[in-house]
Structures are given as structure tokens and as C-alpha cells.
Amino acid sequence: MIDYFSDRQNGPVARTEEVITPVVWAAIVATVRGLINSGAFGQRFPERCADGQAVCGCDEAAFGAAVVGEIRGLEWPLQTTKKVEESFISQWEPFAPDTLLILDFVAYVHAMAAKPIQREYHNFLRHHHLAFDQEAGQEEFRDTINRYFGRNGLAFEMQPTGRIVRVLPPVIDLALRRTTFNTGERTLDLLLEEARTKFSDPNSLIRREALERLWDGWERLKSLADPSNKKNSVHLILSAVTAEPALYARLDAEAHQLTSIGNDHLIRHYEVNQKPVIDADHVDYLFHRLFAMIQLVLRKKAA
């Protein structure tokens, strides 16, 4: 990793952006072009030496065809500019595909990449024959991509498996990593675990599903203390959280508010008069708010 002075001086950039800009896309494309030129995809898409059939590089045409077939909607050669027509004048401007397409492409490149290792030199055809170290090649690619993400404030991170996850806001990230779900009720545990897993997905639609699962878990949690009477069950649950009357009243009001949010918005039900939650920041806020209540209840339940 490069030791940048600005990082030491100012600290890391806040990871809050969720749209990959043309600048970052161009950097990713340049990195992939460098990998093609080095032969890094030759293990999966080999260019063969005409004299003996040893691997000597990457078959770029085969690699490009595989990319187009695998990542629907992505063009090959990779485009970083597009032509804009304005009456009689046309000009080129920076371009980036949809962010989810880029993330899928990056994951695919990671799966195909391997570090090329030069072996014997073929004097007549003036090239090296290659061997490959896939683990080393993938690690180098991951480091590069994560550096692009980090330095440009993008809320994405590529894990060692090649899976790309969202970098969560620090407070909720710490809470999610520290919390284990062991409520004694398997269905509730599965709902909460599904919510946790989906909330780190780069796709905002999947994160909205996480919000739905969390609200489903909340409704199930409210009935655990007395399955036959949800109102009494909520009373028993909150009484276990605190015996202090003023705080109990605030928590009881919050429980009613959370239930109302789930019922009035397109979270748990899909009636025509309900208001959808679309904005990603709103999803984060509501998830964090409800998760804090569930976390408090579960901690006191386990105590």
C-alpha cells in the first residue's frame, strides 16, 4: 500500500459515497488494461505460443467476450467516455456505467485474475512463457481496488473472498459486528441475521429488504413474552428493560412510533396508501433506529 502524506496528515476520507464516478471508473479500466497487457488473465484465457503451445499472454478477445456474456449491460471495449450531441456540435465527456455493473465487473475480474510469473524466454518469438499465482494476483488487485474506493470516499470494500460489501456507518457497523442473535426463537434469529447480512449489500434494493426483515423481526420480538396478548407482551418486555417510570414511558412511546413507521410506510405492508422508503439515507436512519431498540431489548432479555 502507498503511504500518502495527505492520509497521515488529514486522516482517511469519509466512506459515504455510493456512486462510482467516471474518474474512479477510468482508474479501474486502466488497471484492468494493465492486467491484460501483463497476461494476468492468461490462466483462464490463454494466448498460446505458436511454438509449443505454452502460455505466453492473455487472449484479450476471449476475455472481453466472457465479460460481455457474464456482466449483462457492460460494453467491450470498456468505455470511459461517451459522445454528446448538441445540435451541430458533438463532444466527448467522461462516462461511467451503473455502479452495480461496475461492482459486478470488479468481482469478475478478481475471480479471473492471477499474477503472471515469467519463466523461460522464447528467443525466436521474443516473449516469456508464463506460470501463474492466483492468490497473489487477486490480493494485488484487491489492494488496488480498495485503495481506489477508500481514497475516493466510496462506501464499498472488497473482501478476501472477492465479495464486495458496503462500508457501513461506523456506529451501526460496530453494533452489527458485536451483536449475536440468540433469542431462543429460531425464526426470529433467522430474520435478524438476514437483516444484518443484507444491510451490508451494495445494492440499495437489497438493503431495503434488510429493513423489511428487521421490522418483521421487531413484530415477532414484541410477541415473545406473551404470544396471546401482544400489548401485554410489549409491557413485559419493556418492564424488563427498565423499572424507571420516565424512561419506561419514553421507550413505550418509541415502541409505538416504530410500529407506526412500519405500518404507515412500504416496509411491512404493500397497500396503495402507504409511503415508500426509497432514499438510502432514510433506510440507514430507520434501520439504525430500530436496531438500537432491538439490541437494547435483547441485551436486557439475556441479562
Side-chain angles (χ1 to χ4, degrees):
M1 298 294 288
I2 301 174
D3 182 19
Y4 288 106
F5 178 80
S6 62
D7 289 346
R8 299 197 310 273
Q9 192 77 3
N10 301 324
V13 178
R15 308 281 291 272
T16 57
E17 300 297 326
E18 296 191 13
V19 176
I20 295 177
T21 64
V23 170
V24 177
W25 170 238
I28 292 171
V29 171
T31 297
V32 173
R33 292 231 53 92
L35 291 174
I36 291 172
N37 292 337
S38 73
F41 305 111
Q43 182 170 258
R44 296 294 187 92
F45 305 95
E47 178 186 356
R48 302 264 179 199
C49 174
D51 182 14
Q53 294 300 298
V55 178
C56 60
C58 164
D59 184 338
E60 181 177 349
F63 176 68
V67 167
V68 172
E70 189 84 14
I71 314 300
R72 183 180 178 184
L74 199 63
E75 295 182 21
W76 191 272
L78 300 171
Q79 305 298 312
T80 59
T81 59
K82 66 177 180 180
K83 183 180 288 188
V84 179
E85 303 284 350
E86 294 183 2
S87 63
F88 298 105
I89 302 173
S90 64
Q91 59 184 3
W92 292 86
E93 66 178 28
F95 163 77
D98 179 78
T99 292
L100 293 181
L101 273 182
I102 295 174
L103 294 178
D104 285 350
F105 173 65
V106 167
Y108 181 76
V109 171
H110 179 270
M112 298 298 111
K115 184 174 183 177
I117 301 169
Q118 293 183 347
R119 298 170 62 193
E120 65 274 4
Y121 182 71
H122 193 152
N123 284 299
F124 181 70
L125 293 176
R126 297 183 179 180
H127 60 222
H128 283 89
H129 295 163
L130 302 176
F132 298 92
D133 184 335
Q134 186 166 27
E135 184 175 344
Q138 289 177 335
E139 182 177 3
E140 289 180 5
F141 180 69
R142 269 197 319 275
D143 288 345
T144 299
I145 293 301
N146 284 334
R147 187 169 68 251
Y148 292 159
F149 287 164
R151 289 186 58 77
N152 289 277
L154 287 162
F156 305 116
E157 187 81 18
M158 176 172 274
Q159 298 178 323
T161 60
R163 185 183 184 211
I164 297 174
V165 298
R166 189 169 69 118
V167 177
L168 301 177
V171 174
I172 189 65
D173 180 46
L174 185 62
L176 284 172
R177 286 191 287 109
R178 284 184 172 180
T179 302
T180 56
F181 303 117
N182 187 18
T183 65
E185 214 276 330
R186 177 168 172 75
T187 300
L188 177 56
D189 288 343
L190 291 174
L191 284 171
L192 296 178
E193 187 59 38
E194 185 179 355
R196 185 220 302 268
T197 301
K198 289 187 172 184
F199 192 61
S200 65
D201 196 283
N203 190 332
S204 60
L205 295 178
I206 302 298
R207 296 204 300 278
R208 194 184 178 287
E209 289 180 11
L211 192 64
E212 294 174 6
R213 297 299 177 272
L214 193 67
W215 242 272
D216 289 340
W218 167 240
E219 292 301 318
R220 195 170 186 89
L221 174 60
K222 289 193 302 181
S223 66
L224 286 187
D226 183 354
S228 63
N229 187 328
K230 184 176 281 189
K231 183 176 180 180
N232 184 53
S233 181
V234 172
H235 168 69
L236 294 173
I237 289 170
L238 295 182
S239 297
V241 172
T242 181
E244 203 280 309
L247 182 56
Y248 175 92
R250 290 185 179 278
L251 291 176
D252 185 54
E254 175 70 354
H256 280 88
Q257 281 288 315
L258 291 169
T259 298
S260 177
I261 289 170
N263 290 334
D264 292 346
H265 292 77
L266 275 174
I267 296 176
R268 297 189 61 250
H269 306 291
Y270 293 89
E271 298 169 10
V272 294
N273 63 336
Q274 291 178 312
K275 297 171 278 296
V277 180
I278 299 173
D279 190 293
D281 291 332
H282 297 167
V283 171
D284 282 355
Y285 162 73
L286 292 174
F287 190 98
H288 190 186
R289 180 175 173 180
L290 179 56
F291 187 82
M293 172 65 96
I294 292 175
Q295 185 182 40
L296 175 63
V297 168
L298 293 181
R299 280 182 175 175
K300 294 303 182 182
K301 180 178 181 296

